[in-house]
């Protein structure tokens, strides 16, 4: 058994990194991530963790230092939010292109302008094409557990891709929850040290890492191998979820998890902290009103569970995607991804609610209203205005 | 006195057949660096002409090299040296093994896009040697102006000559109070290698070497004249060979009588349009700088 503590999401994630025995942690402060940086500095300063803490001068360098350290054979960890993430954007491609299993916590924050420290998932979803595995978690415990799992997934020889653990700033990062801190000895059995063979800056085995390839060289093959690795990551994610459950007693479902989806006519599909609220709504509507409704909590956005979702939703009449993000000019990002997943199938009607941007509160009643309205649409032949902005002021 | 050819190791870690331009001094410089630092080294590479012989498939040095992006070659020093430290503590790298970490960057990378990264690594005094290969413009992309391009110089983005002065990067680096800052020239290999050996053998920390590197392609002079031009820069007093060792400044070469700057400017096509007034203003600057350097 681990020990129980009241922790914020940020501290829970930092404890996870400590248990994973990360070796180099370059970090730059940005609200709402900063507590992770502070906690890592404290662990290292106190001697609780043997690692190199590097206080870099920018997020661009934070990820560059992580890349260089990981390429030298050290397990690296960093964290950021919003503008900081975009500032390091080019290096995200470098980390995945070099096949370096760096783990980073992304505390979701709205992107300026206008400037806000409250959440909007658009910052990390915007990075979905960079070749990183992305998991979205709904509470501090899941953040803690997933940092540990992430190293095992990312470092698996079938994968070797960097991984991001994403959660909403303030809502998850700053509020305290009871968290079971995993037992170090059990984590050590679950997660082996990082001993790379594929990419290593070792004078005994000189290697050019990050080569320039000319037009008819191997650029396409590099990219294809990343795609293959991302495909293989799906089964590794499931395996690691299973192994984690056996060791620590918590199963998360891997790519996604479901609630009352057997025979559900309407499905609420969401991610992050909204999943907790939506779960309560689904339980309420099922138990109190006998409505045929279920929940799909999307965990992995990369790799996106295309096959799994299209099988899961084949008999569902309406899928309502609730999300705290938007791709201006297209709709919610998860909704557009789901459209791609279900492409060409005679599947369910899809409705998209964009809500809670900039940390606007999304209550039980809000999701219940949306759910009931969507239930009334399950017998229509076509859905009007499938992309809906929820409760925008002044409309 | 023994020559460099006699004292440097015979083993080549940098091979012929590289894709640098004819007359580029980079090839010589890479040989001096790889021979002086030896096999037990790791290189962090910026986007620079020097990346061509090391990073363009299938060329490589016999030293591990990492290319991240244009700006963060100093952060590469930081990451590699941090990893070496922790891996030594954990016994995955033998504690007594000396590995030299160095970065190669051009003037655009060091002084423009990577300035924050360079200043950050210097301020943290991370362990490595940073080479700024100063050919005074963005040469790899086709001769565009950088902050290190000298005043009045033609480039493809300053076709009437650059109005602004050259940024004095070595002085900025010296202001970081790092263990060692030195200016070197490709025309003075003994001075180059002596300073590099000094940096190599110093205690851990950030060392900065700024290499004045004439570029026949961008400066518009015949490719046989590279060393001549480099030497003229020193003999006219334009490029001062000095070192700042733990804060103490020493000028390593004082020409007995400085040659007129016109001797340096005239052979270079990039200065073709200079008026007598422009040339005089450069001469005045040099004379003033040396007055400051008198002691």
């Amino acid at each position: 058994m681990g020990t129980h503590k009241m922790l914020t999401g940020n501290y829970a994630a930092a404890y996870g990194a400590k248990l994973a025995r990360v070796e180099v942690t370059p970090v730059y402060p940005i609200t709402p991530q900063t507590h992770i940086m502070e906690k890592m500095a404290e662990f290292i300063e106190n001697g609780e963790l043997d690692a190199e803490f590097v206080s870099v001068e920018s997020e661009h360098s934070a990820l560059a230092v992580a890349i260089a350290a990981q390429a030298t054979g050290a397990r690296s960890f960093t964290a950021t939010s919003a503008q900081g993430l975009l500032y390091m954007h080019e290096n995200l491609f470098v980390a995945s292109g070099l096949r370096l299993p760096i783990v980073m916590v992304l505390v979701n924050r709205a992107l300026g302008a206008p400037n806000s420290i409250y959440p909007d998932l658009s910052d990390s979803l915007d990075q979905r094409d960079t070749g990183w595995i992305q998991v979205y978690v709904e509470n501090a415990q899941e953040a803690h557990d997933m940092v540990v799992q992430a190293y095992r997934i990312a470092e698996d020889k079938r994968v070797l891709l960097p991984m991001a653990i994403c959660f909403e700033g303030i809502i998850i990062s700053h509020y305290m929850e009871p968290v079971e801190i995993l037992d170090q000895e059990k984590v050590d059995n679950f997660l082996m040290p990082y001993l790379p063979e594929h990419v290593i800056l070792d004078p005994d085995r000189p290697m050019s890492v990050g080569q320039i390839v000319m037009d008819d060289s191997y650029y396409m093959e590099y990219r294809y191998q990343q795609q293959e690795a991302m495909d293989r990551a799906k089964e590794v994610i499931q395996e690691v979820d299973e192994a984690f459950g056996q060791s620590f007693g918590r199963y998360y479902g891997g790519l996604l998890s479901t609630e009352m989806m057997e025979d559900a006519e309407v499905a609420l599909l969401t991610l992050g902290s909204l999943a907790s609220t939506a779960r309560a709504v689904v339980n309420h509507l099922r138990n109190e009103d006998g409505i045929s409704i279920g929940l799909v909590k999307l965990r992995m956005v990369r790799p996106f569970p295309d096959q799994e979702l299209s099988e899961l939703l084949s008999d569902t009449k309406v899928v309502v995607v609730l999300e705290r993000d938007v791709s201006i000019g297209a709709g919610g990002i998860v909704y557009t991804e789901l459209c791609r997943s279900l492409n060409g199938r005679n599947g369910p009607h899809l409705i998209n609610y964009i809500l809670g941007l900039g940390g606007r509160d999304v209550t039980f009643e809000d999701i219940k209203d949306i759910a009931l309205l969507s239930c009334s649409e399950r017998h229509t032949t076509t859905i009007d205005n499938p992309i809906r902005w929820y409760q925008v002021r002044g409309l | 006195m023994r020559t460099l050819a006699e004292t440097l190791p015979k083993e080549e870690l940098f091979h012929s057949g590289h894709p640098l331009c004819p007359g580029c001094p980079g090839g010589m410089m890479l040989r001096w660096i790889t021979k002086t630092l030896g096999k037990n080294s790791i290189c962090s590479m910026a986007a620079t002409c020097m990346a061509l012989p090391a990073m363009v498939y299938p060329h490589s040095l016999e030293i591990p090299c990492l290319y991240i992006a244009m700006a963060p070659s100093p952060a590469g020093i930081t990451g590699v040296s941090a990893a070496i430290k922790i891996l030594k503590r954990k016994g995955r790298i033998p504690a007594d093994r000396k590995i030299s970490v160095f970065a190669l960057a051009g003037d655009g990378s060091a002084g423009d896009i990577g300035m924050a990264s360079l200043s950050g690594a210097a301020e943290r005094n991370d362990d490595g040697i940073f080479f700024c290969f100063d050919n005074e413009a963005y040469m790899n992309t086709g001769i565009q102006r950088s902050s290190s391009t000298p005043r009045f110089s033609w480039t493809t983005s300053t076709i009437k000559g650059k109005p602004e002065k050259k940024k004095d990067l070595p002085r900025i680096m010296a202001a970081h109070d790092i263990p060692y800052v030195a200016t070197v020239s490709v025309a003075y290999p003994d001075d180059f290698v002596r300073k590099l050996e000094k940096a190599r053998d110093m205690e851990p920390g950030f060392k900065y070497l700024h290499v004045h590197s004439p570029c026949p392609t961008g400066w518009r002079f015949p490719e046989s004249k590279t060393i001549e031009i480099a030497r003229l820069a020193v003999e006219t007093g334009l490029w001062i060979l000095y070192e700042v060792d733990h804060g103490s400044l020493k000028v390593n070469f004082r020409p007995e009588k400085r040659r007129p700057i016109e001797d340096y400017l005239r052979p270079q096509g990039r200065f073709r349009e200079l008026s007598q007034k422009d040339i005089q203003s450069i001469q005045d600057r040099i004379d003033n700088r040396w007055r400051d350097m008198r002691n």
Side-chain angles (χ1 to χ4, degrees):
Chain A
M1 268 300 270
T3 49
H4 287 81
K5 261 194 175 151
M6 287 295 287
L7 293 179
T8 62
N10 277 344
Y11 276 13
Y15 272 99
K18 177 181 158 232
L19 287 165
R21 298 193 189 276
V22 300
E23 292 164 329
V24 177
T25 62
V27 217
Y28 187 83
I30 183 170
T31 306
Q33 167 279 122
T34 313
H35 297 139
I36 299 178
M37 175 197 188
E38 289 175 349
K39 199 70 185 165
M40 295 309 293
E42 188 188 310
F43 287 146
I44 295 167
E45 199 72 22
N46 287 345
E48 292 176 64
L49 172 66
D50 189 14
E52 287 293 313
F53 182 81
V54 190
S55 181
V56 281
E57 77 296 332
S58 74
E59 289 90 352
H60 193 279
S61 284
L63 190 50
V65 170
I67 287 168
Q70 192 87 28
T72 314
R75 185 175 280 162
S76 303
F77 174 74
T78 188
T80 191
S81 296
Q83 316 297 138
L85 176 59
L86 266 59
Y87 197 41
M88 61 166 71
H89 172 68
E90 68 166 326
N91 289 337
L92 270 84
F93 283 94
V94 179
S96 66
L98 294 181
R99 308 297 297 274
L100 297 171
I102 295 164
V103 171
M104 170 155 70
V105 172
L106 299 181
V107 184
N108 292 111
R109 165 181 162 172
L111 287 161
N115 291 292
S116 161
I117 58 163
Y118 295 92
D120 176 335
L121 269 51
S122 305
D123 60 347
S124 59
L125 285 169
D126 181 48
Q127 306 297 312
R128 67 196 179 281
D129 298 341
T130 58
W132 285 57
I133 299 170
Q134 283 197 352
V135 62
Y136 290 78
V137 301
E138 67 172 287
N139 56 37
Q141 183 71 61
E142 194 180 2
H144 178 73
D145 294 348
M146 282 315 292
V147 173
V148 173
Q149 282 197 34
Y151 282 102
R152 179 148 159 185
I153 294 166
E155 291 172 8
D156 190 288
K157 288 197 169 42
R158 292 166 287 174
V159 179
L160 293 169
L161 289 172
M163 180 157 172
I165 295 108
C166 313
F167 55 79
E168 286 131 302
I170 312 298
I171 297 172
I172 296 176
S173 69
H174 278 54
Y175 295 151
M176 288 175 120
E177 299 172 42
V179 173
E180 186 211 345
I181 300 174
L182 304 177
D183 178 65
Q184 182 69 67
E185 208 182 308
K186 280 166 83 176
V187 173
D188 289 341
N189 288 329
F190 178 79
L191 184 64
M192 297 297 116
Y194 178 58
L195 300 170
E197 288 161 14
H198 67 305
V199 168
I200 180 75
L201 296 169
D202 175 2
D204 293 337
R205 200 154 59 102
M207 203 184 268
S208 288
V209 177
Q211 282 219 329
I212 300 159
V213 290
M214 302 313 271
D215 50 356
D216 196 27
S217 195
Y218 293 96
Y219 181 86
M220 249 182 110
E221 287 70 22
Y222 270 83
R223 285 286 173 268
Y224 185 72
Q225 288 185 353
Q226 280 175 270
Q227 176 62 48
E228 286 187 314
M230 195 57 100
D231 291 340
R232 287 193 296 267
K234 285 187 181 180
E235 90 186 59
V236 175
I237 289 162
Q238 298 297 139
E239 279 174 25
V240 172
D241 186 64
E242 186 64 31
F244 187 89
Q246 279 167 13
S247 299
F248 302 102
R250 274 185 297 278
Y251 296 84
Y252 289 102
L255 299 167
L256 50 82
S257 72
T258 60
E259 207 102 6
M260 306 198 184
M261 275 301 291
E262 308 75 27
D263 78 1
E265 289 185 306
V266 176
L268 301 183
L269 187 150
T270 190
L271 68 175
S273 72
L274 292 178
S276 298
T277 317
R279 185 179 294 112
V281 170
V282 164
N283 281 323
H284 175 84
L285 293 180
R286 275 271 186 183
N287 299 333
E288 305 291 318
D289 304 317
I291 293 175
S292 171
I293 190 167
L295 171 74
V296 181
K297 173 189 166 190
L298 182 66
R299 298 185 74 242
M300 300 288 164
V301 168
R302 285 292 179 273
F304 199 79
D306 290 307
Q307 176 87 27
E308 293 76 6
L309 283 169
S310 78
E311 281 168 20
L312 178 69
L313 301 172
S314 58
D315 295 329
T316 315
K317 292 205 167 66
V318 179
V319 179
V320 189
V321 183
L322 305 164
E323 55 187 317
R324 199 192 289 278
D325 62 80
V326 63
S327 168
I328 315 267
I333 295 169
V334 174
Y335 165 77
T336 56
E337 290 274 330
L338 187 65
C339 291
R340 180 181 53 72
S341 273
L342 306 182
N343 177 33
R345 286 164 203 271
N346 247 344
H349 291 315
L350 301 182
I351 303 172
N352 184 204
Y353 279 91
I354 293 157
L355 72 183
L357 299 188
R360 182 168 296 176
D361 204 14
V362 180
T363 64
F364 177 92
E365 292 301 326
D366 292 332
I367 295 185
K368 193 175 144 200
D369 287 349
I370 290 170
L372 289 173
L373 186 66
S374 307
C375 286
S376 71
E377 291 177 276
R378 69 183 183 277
H379 299 302
T380 57
T381 48
T382 52
I383 298 284
D384 292 328
N385 306 318
I387 301 168
R388 301 165 188 179
W389 288 63
Y390 185 69
Q391 285 188 348
V392 176
R393 291 181 192 136
L395 288 184
Chain B
M1 199 179 125
R2 295 171 71 200
T3 63
L4 266 188
E6 289 165 328
T7 55
L8 285 176
K10 294 279 172 279
E11 192 187 12
E12 297 288 351
L13 302 173
F14 165 67
H15 299 282
S16 58
H18 60 74
L20 294 170
C21 298
C24 175
M28 293 185 313
M29 189 192 69
L30 280 174
R31 285 181 74 207
W32 302 335
I33 293 173
T34 52
K35 281 169 182 279
T36 307
L37 298 181
K39 269 193 155 172
N40 264 327
S41 308
I42 297 176
C43 172
S44 169
M45 190 71 79
T48 151
C49 294
M50 292 310 102
L52 303 176
M55 306 302 286
V56 178
Y57 179 83
H59 297 280
S60 66
L61 304 179
E62 279 188 46
I63 282 176
C65 283
L66 170 68
Y67 172 72
I68 302 173
M70 177 107 187
S73 62
I77 287 184
T78 306
V80 172
S81 60
I84 290 173
K85 257 202 236 173
I86 178 73
L87 295 179
K88 279 185 174 179
R89 280 210 300 279
K90 290 193 169 183
R92 302 223 293 273
I93 294 176
D96 58 353
R97 182 166 189 181
K98 158 95 179 161
I99 300 175
S100 299
V101 184
F102 67 100
L104 286 174
D107 48 288
S109 170
D112 292 346
I113 193 171
M115 187 83 217
S117 182
L118 176 59
S119 177
E123 182 268 332
R124 294 185 301 268
N125 202 23
D126 293 326
D127 186 27
I129 303 170
F130 186 93
F131 293 92
C132 174
F133 185 78
D134 186 4
N135 50 24
E136 303 193 323
Y138 289 89
M139 295 309 184
N140 214 356
T141 46
I143 326 167
Q144 292 80 33
R145 163 210 193 279
S146 79
S147 63
S148 201
T149 302
R151 195 173 180 202
F152 306 122
S153 173
W154 166 91
T155 66
T156 57
S157 59
T158 53
I159 53 173
K160 290 183 175 173
K162 181 189 173 190
E164 302 84 10
K165 294 171 199 158
K166 179 181 171 82
K167 185 191 273 187
D168 192 342
L169 209 44
R171 275 214 282 187
I172 294 171
M173 295 317 293
H176 285 73
D177 205 8
I178 50 181
Y180 193 62
V181 173
T183 58
V184 290
S185 160
V186 291
Y188 295 80
D190 291 284
D191 180 71
F192 186 112
V193 171
R194 183 188 65 78
K195 286 171 174 169
L196 179 51
E197 284 171 346
K198 199 169 182 178
R200 178 195 65 193
D201 298 336
M202 245 175 218
E203 80 278 7
F206 199 80
K207 294 102 188 180
Y208 179 84
L209 264 70
H210 195 107
V211 194
H212 189 247
S213 315
C215 169
T217 310
W219 295 11
R220 300 294 197 240
F221 63 79
E223 57 215 31
S224 59
K225 302 252 182 239
T226 306
I227 299 303
E228 212 168 291
I229 298 285
R231 193 176 299 122
L232 278 166
V234 175
E235 289 176 347
T236 55
L238 176 80
W239 188 248
I240 304 176
L241 298 177
Y242 67 88
E243 63 192 326
V244 183
D245 183 347
H246 294 85
S248 136
L249 170 75
K250 185 179 170 194
V251 177
N252 306 106
F253 180 73
R254 291 174 189 271
E256 280 191 17
K257 190 176 182 310
R258 290 195 300 279
R259 294 176 64 158
I261 191 59
E262 212 167 345
D263 291 359
Y264 171 75
L265 302 174
R266 214 184 312 109
Q268 300 182 47
R270 63 174 175 156
F271 293 123
R272 198 166 37 209
E273 303 293 328
L274 262 63
S275 65
Q276 267 314 312
K277 192 169 147 255
D278 298 337
I279 294 172
Q280 191 53 50
S281 79
I282 300 174
Q283 186 66 61
D284 291 346
R285 256 195 111 217
I286 293 172
D287 294 345
N288 286 336
R289 182 88 201 274
W290 277 94
R291 215 163 293 135
D292 294 344
M293 286 284 212
R294 213 161 18 194
N295 301 312

